[in-house]
Amino acid sequence: MFSAVRTQHKGVDICINNAGLARPEPLLSGHTSGWKDMLNVNVLAVSICTREAYQSMRERSVDDGHIINISSMSGYRVVAQSDVHFYSATKFAITALTEGLRQELREANTHIRATCICPGLVETGFAFKLHDNDPVKAAETYEHIQCLKPEDVAEAVIFVLSTPPHVQIGDIQIMPTEQVT
């Protein structure tokens, strides 16, 4: 993917990592394959894309780039729902990786910024993938409150990208007004 971006656009100045995969795999009875899938998508792929984006910026002397990780409120709290405990662990990892990235960017004496945007419940197909064997349960996820829309998250990205170069937005937590946790 990054080779194609290099060929078509010369490189990456802004990287928005928006990986998210949840499987109903509890800690006490989950399948290793489901845990690996979540780690591969939610943690490893984000880390690889981040590294490649930074290398692209460095190769072209881009000193004002931005790496934005779209994570989840699950990276800040653990809900009492065993099916998503491992997923939460992967999102906690993104919170830590984003802060580690910010520190490494400072150590590298660059002005490239790193931000973590953590939405709460967004009305997407996410619950239908998590509960792919129970579409009724998936649909109920979005019925009890007015959820965020993908456009709400996009507005947060636009806000982060519109800040002056001397402003570092580390984290944004965004959730529906009616969401309890």
Side-chain angles (χ1 to χ4, degrees):
M1 174 179 72
F2 281 87
S3 176
V5 169
R6 240 181 240 106
T7 301
Q8 294 174 12
H9 304 287
K10 304 240 190 307
V12 174
D13 292 4
I14 297 168
C15 177
I16 301 172
N17 291 309
N18 189 27
L21 173 70
R23 295 280 184 246
E25 303 287 357
L27 298 174
L28 299 180
S29 61
H31 297 93
T32 304
S33 61
W35 293 344
K36 284 182 178 180
D37 289 345
M38 286 184 273
L39 283 171
N40 283 338
V41 172
N42 298 352
V43 179
L44 191 57
V46 170
S47 299
I48 292 168
C49 289
T50 296
R51 179 193 64 208
E52 295 301 312
Y54 172 72
Q55 294 298 329
S56 174
M57 292 177 209
R58 197 178 77 189
E59 288 167 3
R60 296 172 303 108
S61 300
V62 171
D63 191 46
D64 61 348
H66 209 129
I67 298 170
I68 299 173
N69 293 327
I70 309 295
S71 185
S72 170
M73 286 300 300
S74 292
Y76 286 92
R77 48 90 172 120
V78 178
V79 296
Q81 187 180 353
S82 62
D83 280 353
V84 295
H85 288 160
F86 194 89
Y87 167 77
S88 292
T90 67
K91 293 306 180 173
F92 268 85
I94 295 304
T95 301
L97 287 168
T98 305
E99 176 56 19
L101 171 63
R102 188 194 66 75
Q103 291 177 18
E104 287 188 32
L105 291 168
R106 296 299 71 79
E107 290 171 10
N109 293 317
T110 177
H111 293 97
I112 298 168
R113 296 177 283 174
T115 300
C116 193
I117 298 177
C118 302
L121 190 58
V122 182
E123 192 170 353
T124 64
F126 187 84
F128 290 94
K129 299 249 192 256
L130 172 62
H131 304 295
D132 58 354
N133 293 329
D134 191 348
V136 172
K137 184 175 182 178
E140 288 173 352
T141 302
Y142 304 117
E143 292 175 355
H144 299 297
I145 65 171
Q146 183 177 356
C147 301
L148 296 175
K149 302 290 184 203
E151 295 81 5
D152 299 321
V153 179
E155 287 293 327
V157 170
I158 292 167
F159 167 71
V160 166
L161 292 173
S162 69
T163 58
H166 71 281
V167 175
Q168 167 71 57
I169 306 289
D171 295 291
I172 292 181
Q173 296 179 21
I174 176 175
M175 67 176 70
T177 302
E178 298 172 348
Q179 185 173 345
V180 176
T181 62

